[in-house]
């Protein structure tokens, strides 16, 4: 290819530095470019691509405020705005391992580090152009997401024994694994590895071994891949999964930590890190990984308010589980800071009533501080709004379980949409709280049942003690509160002239658990009846 490498090519430079734009434009013009456009931000680049396609995009990794180059590439692919023949080249002045590896994992067509020479840039572009021209039908099939056609085209290209057969073998095996054609994938990988221990083939064989639940073989292959390239983040991922599958949790954690340090901007990796950290009850790592998920997605096509909500939920969950008061206070402060920060990020709040979410979070924090009545009062004030706020329903469930309103929490859980529960972190938060609640609810149920039994036997003093113990576990539980009131009224009736002022006050205080709260019909009628009995007794006592 002659010096006019970029002749008749539509080129887009995405960089927030005007000086670099002009300098780079000069280089491109000397390479034959005459149609060069500029975009200082990822958002503007996305808009330009939506209005017309470009043959080559040179994108700086760091673009100031907004999307970075990696996020722009994700968006363009997701929206099908990057044509199969187009070349996407990341450009950056930073060459740290996490930055480079995170970019390489997304597989742009190439990656160049500033400063670079015109000759290097030209040779890189020419190499990619040759590949995309020769494999045009394959790139189109990949673009159209037609795995069966991709497999056929790869097989045809491999038979030609051309210069791209190794690339086609890798793409072929990846699509065979995606379509669960494991035996065919194994034959190709075994043949390839018998000739040469290619890194991609070793990794895919490790992945295949994991998928076939041959974890020992997977671990051996992962070790080989990592020894060959210590920055092979995906090999650490598979190693972590294999260790996790055989119950070697500490080793799994070391592996996923290594992967996250090499290339942290990967969502499945951060979810796996959270899963393993929870197995080890490593609370700080869970919070950090949840925050990383939020940061990864907040400017990308994968932006979803659930990542923001989960980050804050994870911090509150950490505060609930923290034994050390100082550590708990640090988490409480982090919740407040996160809530304040989010208020400045209006784009993240458009899909939810953030004020309502914040109220529920504050109520959970108040409950942690012992202000159970105030926490329940907040729930009562917003209960009617929750039906329309599906994204926030989990937080109401968390709050109700936290204050011991197990019955209402169970009813509300049934209203949480299934698609919302498909998020792995939210599902884990639910599962973990339910595990804790199940244990507490069992103890609560035993005490409440014992109190009912004592009541039926006429042992009202013991019944009061047992219902009080039940309320210690579930301080705002309506059913136990009504049981305690009912047993207390019977005790007051029995005492006659020796009616206790202390018992009256305790009964009055217990009514606060139920007063002005949204109640199911069976609790509402019972509450009304008990309140009338109590008022009648109080009038008699005043005489």
């Amino acid at each position: 290819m002659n010096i006019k490498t970029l002749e008749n090519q539509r080129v887009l430079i995405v960089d927030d530095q005007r000086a670099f734009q002009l300098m780079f434009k000069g280089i491109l013009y000397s390479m034959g470019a005459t149609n060069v456009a500029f975009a200082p931000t990822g958002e503007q680049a996305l808009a330009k691509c939506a209005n017309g396609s470009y043959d080559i995009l040179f994108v700086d990794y760091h673009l100031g405020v907004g999307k970075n180059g990696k996020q722009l590439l994700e968006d363009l692919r997701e929206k099908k705005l990057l044509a199969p023949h187009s070349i996407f080249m990341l450009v950056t002045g930073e060459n740290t391992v996490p930055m480079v590896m995170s970019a390489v994992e997304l597989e742009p067509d190439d990656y160049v580090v500033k400063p670079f020479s015109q000759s290097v840039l030209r040779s890189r572009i020419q190499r990619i152009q040759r590949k995309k021209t020769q494999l045009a039908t394959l790139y189109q099939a990949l673009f159209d997401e037609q795995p069966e056609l991709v497999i056929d085209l790869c097989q045809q290209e491999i038979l030609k024994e051309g210069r791209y057969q190794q690339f086609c073998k890798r793409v072929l095996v990846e699509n065979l694994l995606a379509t669960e054609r494991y035996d065919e994938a194994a034959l190709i990988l075994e043949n390839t590895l018998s000739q040469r221990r290619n890194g991609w083939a070793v990794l895919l064989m490790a992945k295949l071994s994991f998928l076939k639940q041959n974890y020992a073989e997977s671990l051996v292959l992962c070790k080989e891949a990592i020894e060959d390239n210590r920055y092979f983040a995906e090999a650490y991922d598979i190693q972590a999964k294999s260790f996790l599958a055989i119950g070697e949790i500490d080793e799994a954690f070391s592996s996923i930590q290594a992967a996250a340090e090499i290339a942290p901007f990967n969502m499945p990796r951060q979810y796996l890190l959270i899963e393993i950290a929870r197995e080890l009850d490593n609370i700080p790592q869970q919070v950090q990984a949840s925050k990383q998920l939020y940061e990864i997605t907040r400017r990308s096509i994968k932006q979803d308010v659930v990542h923001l909500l989960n980050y804050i939920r994870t911090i509150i969950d950490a505060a609930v589980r923290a034994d050390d008061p100082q550590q708990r206070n640090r988490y409480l402060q982090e919740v407040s800071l996160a809530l304040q920060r989010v208020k400045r990020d209006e784009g993240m709040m458009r899909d939810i009533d953030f004020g309502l979410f914040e109220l529920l979070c504050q109520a959970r924090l108040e409950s942690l501080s012992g202000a159970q009545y105030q926490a329940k009062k907040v729930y009562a004030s917003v209960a009617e709004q929750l039906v329309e706020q599906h994204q926030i329903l989990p937080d109401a469930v968390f709050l109700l379980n936290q204050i011991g309103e197990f019955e209402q929490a169970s009813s509300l859980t049934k209203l949480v949409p299934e698609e919302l529960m498909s998020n792995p972190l939210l599902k884990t938060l639910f599962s973990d709280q339910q595990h804790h609640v199940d244990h507490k609810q069992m103890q609560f149920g035993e005490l409440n049942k014992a109190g009912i039994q004592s009541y039926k036997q006429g042992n009202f003093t013991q019944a009061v003690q047992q219902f009080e113990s039940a309320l210690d576990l579930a301080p705002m539980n309506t059913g136990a509160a009504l049981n305690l009131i009912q047993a207390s009224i019977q005790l007051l009736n029995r005492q006659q002239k020796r009616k206790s002022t202390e018992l009256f006050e305790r009964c009055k205080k217990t009514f606060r658990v139920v007063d002005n709260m949204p109640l199911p019909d069976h609790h509402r009628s019972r509450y009304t009846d008990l309140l009338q009995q109590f008022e009648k007794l109080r009038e008699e006592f005043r005489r």
Side-chain angles (χ1 to χ4, degrees):
M1 196 172 288
N2 62 30
I3 195 168
K4 300 297 184 182
T5 306
L6 301 181
E7 192 172 17
N8 301 320
Q9 299 285 292
R10 293 194 72 210
V11 180
L12 178 64
I13 299 173
V14 187
D15 194 290
D16 60 338
Q17 301 296 319
R18 184 64 178 163
F20 178 78
Q21 288 181 6
L22 296 174
M23 182 273 293
F24 199 22
K25 180 180 178 181
I27 293 175
L28 297 178
Y29 267 56
S30 69
M31 293 168 65
T34 56
N35 189 344
V36 179
F38 302 96
T41 68
E43 285 76 11
Q44 289 185 37
L46 198 60
K48 283 181 177 291
C49 290
N51 291 323
S53 64
Y54 291 88
D55 300 299
I56 305 180
L57 294 86
F58 298 100
V59 182
D60 190 67
Y61 195 104
H62 292 291
L63 293 170
V65 177
K67 299 178 187 296
N68 61 30
K70 175 179 177 291
Q71 291 165 336
L72 175 60
L73 178 53
E74 288 177 324
D75 287 11
L76 291 170
R77 285 177 175 167
E78 185 77 19
K79 294 177 181 290
K80 299 289 185 183
L81 295 177
L82 198 61
H85 75 275
S86 297
I87 295 172
F88 187 101
M89 189 172 289
L90 274 174
V91 183
T92 184
E94 187 171 342
N95 60 0
T96 62
V97 168
M99 197 61 67
V100 172
M101 296 310 299
S102 291
V104 168
E105 272 199 324
L106 200 59
E107 296 188 0
D109 294 301
D110 210 340
Y111 184 100
V112 291
V113 180
K114 303 173 189 176
F116 48 83
S117 68
Q118 181 175 311
S119 61
V120 167
L121 187 64
R122 180 185 291 110
S123 66
R124 295 274 192 93
I125 293 169
Q126 289 174 342
R127 187 181 70 230
I128 301 166
Q129 285 175 330
R130 283 193 295 268
K131 183 178 180 182
K132 292 225 167 187
T133 300
Q134 185 168 328
L135 302 178
T137 53
L138 174 58
Y139 277 103
Q140 185 66 52
L142 288 166
F143 180 84
D144 294 334
E145 299 180 43
Q146 297 179 292
E148 295 299 336
L149 180 56
V150 168
I151 289 168
D152 289 342
L153 291 170
C154 284
Q155 289 170 334
Q156 292 172 31
E157 193 65 33
I158 291 165
L159 288 173
K160 296 177 185 176
E161 296 186 354
R163 67 192 301 172
Y164 302 117
Q165 66 170 315
Q166 288 300 316
F167 169 77
C168 290
K169 280 184 181 179
R170 180 171 69 84
V171 174
L172 171 59
V173 173
E174 286 172 345
N175 280 268
L176 288 172
L177 293 181
T179 53
E180 299 184 6
R181 292 161 65 173
Y182 296 157
D183 291 341
E184 293 173 69
L187 284 173
I188 296 166
L189 288 171
E190 286 165 2
N191 178 263
T192 301
L193 289 170
S194 68
Q195 298 172 35
R196 184 182 173 190
R197 304 298 288 183
N198 286 316
W200 66 264
V202 173
L203 179 76
L204 288 176
M205 183 61 93
K207 185 176 182 179
L208 174 60
S209 298
F210 173 78
L211 291 170
K212 295 175 75 173
Q213 298 181 10
N214 190 342
Y215 304 122
E217 182 181 337
S218 178
L219 287 169
V220 169
L221 290 163
C222 287
K223 184 180 179 183
E224 179 184 344
I226 292 164
E227 286 175 349
D228 183 58
N229 178 4
R230 65 191 180 96
Y231 296 125
F232 214 156
E234 194 176 351
Y236 284 105
D237 289 339
I238 299 170
Q239 187 180 62
K241 291 177 184 176
S242 297
F243 275 131
L244 184 62
I246 61 175
E248 299 287 349
I249 310 301
D250 289 327
E251 288 80 0
F253 185 62
S254 296
S255 298
I256 196 61
Q257 267 193 313
E261 286 172 9
I262 293 166
F265 309 116
N266 177 295
M267 288 181 66
R269 182 167 298 135
Q270 294 296 336
Y271 275 122
L272 182 58
L273 178 52
I274 290 171
E275 180 185 352
I276 296 171
R278 291 190 86 84
E279 288 285 332
L280 292 171
D281 202 30
N282 186 327
I283 297 174
Q285 189 66 69
Q286 294 167 46
V287 172
Q288 181 57 38
S290 179
K291 183 178 182 180
Q292 186 67 29
L293 278 169
Y294 163 52
E295 294 293 350
I296 290 169
T297 59
R298 63 191 292 260
R299 299 291 184 190
S300 78
I301 191 70
K302 295 181 176 66
Q303 184 188 86
D304 187 331
V305 73
V306 74
H307 301 299
L308 160 64
L309 303 185
N310 282 349
Y311 165 45
I312 295 172
R313 288 164 180 158
T314 303
I315 311 172
I316 297 175
D317 181 61
V320 170
R321 294 161 63 198
D323 295 323
D324 178 22
Q326 289 186 331
Q327 183 64 57
R328 175 176 289 182
N329 286 335
R330 282 195 288 272
Y331 285 132
L332 297 182
Q333 289 170 9
E334 188 172 347
V335 172
S336 298
L337 288 172
L339 289 169
Q340 290 302 316
R341 178 189 174 191
V342 169
K343 287 179 182 177
R344 298 192 292 270
D345 195 350
E346 293 180 4
M348 291 296 290
M349 297 190 289
R350 60 180 178 269
D351 298 327
I352 64 163
D353 183 339
F354 189 77
L356 183 56
F357 172 72
E358 186 176 17
L359 270 176
L360 290 170
C361 288
Q362 294 294 351
R364 291 189 69 192
L365 299 184
E366 284 168 348
S367 169
L368 268 180
S369 302
Q372 308 292 355
Y373 176 73
Q374 185 59 33
K376 187 169 182 178
K377 192 175 176 183
V378 168
Y379 171 75
S381 69
V382 302
E384 292 183 1
Q385 304 172 47
L386 291 170
V387 180
E388 303 298 323
Q389 293 290 327
H390 290 169
Q391 290 277 16
I392 302 172
L393 274 175
D395 304 284
V397 174
F398 293 147
L399 172 61
L400 288 170
N401 274 326
Q402 201 171 308
I403 63 177
E405 276 286 27
F406 307 125
E407 187 180 342
Q408 288 191 53
S410 179
S411 298
L412 212 56
T413 299
K414 295 171 185 173
L415 301 178
V416 178
E418 281 187 28
E419 59 269 23
L420 196 62
M421 292 304 294
S422 65
N423 179 272
L425 179 50
L426 181 57
K427 190 174 181 179
T428 299
L429 288 169
F430 251 100
S431 175
D432 280 3
Q433 193 197 55
Q434 196 56 53
H435 177 74
H436 176 68
V437 165
D438 285 346
H439 178 67
K440 185 187 281 189
Q441 196 169 5
M442 184 178 69
Q443 292 177 294
F444 166 82
E446 288 172 356
L447 286 165
N448 199 43
K449 186 177 179 181
I452 292 170
Q453 189 64 31
S454 297
Y455 180 88
K456 288 178 177 177
Q457 293 170 354
N459 191 344
F460 303 128
T461 301
Q462 187 169 319
V464 164
Q465 291 171 351
Q466 288 162 331
F467 291 136
E468 283 181 334
S469 295
L471 282 170
D472 286 339
L473 289 169
M476 292 290 116
N477 187 278
T478 300
L482 292 174
N483 286 345
L484 177 56
I485 291 167
Q486 186 168 334
S488 298
I489 287 174
Q490 290 299 329
L491 199 55
L492 286 166
N493 272 321
R494 180 173 285 184
Q495 287 178 342
Q496 294 301 323
K497 295 180 181 179
R498 296 185 296 103
K499 292 181 173 108
S500 166
T501 302
E502 183 183 341
L503 190 55
F504 264 112
E505 286 304 313
R506 192 189 308 160
C507 205
K508 183 180 175 183
K509 184 180 178 182
T510 308
F511 265 110
R512 294 184 66 206
V513 175
V514 193
D515 288 339
N516 303 314
M517 298 296 174
L519 299 173
D521 290 341
H522 64 288
H523 281 332
R524 171 62 57 190
S525 58
R526 190 174 168 212
Y527 163 76
T528 303
D529 181 54
L530 289 172
L531 184 60
Q532 289 173 353
Q533 292 182 45
F534 179 72
E535 291 296 343
K536 183 179 178 182
L537 275 171
R538 192 157 61 169
E539 284 298 317
E540 291 176 3
F541 182 64
R542 284 172 181 163
R543 294 175 197 156

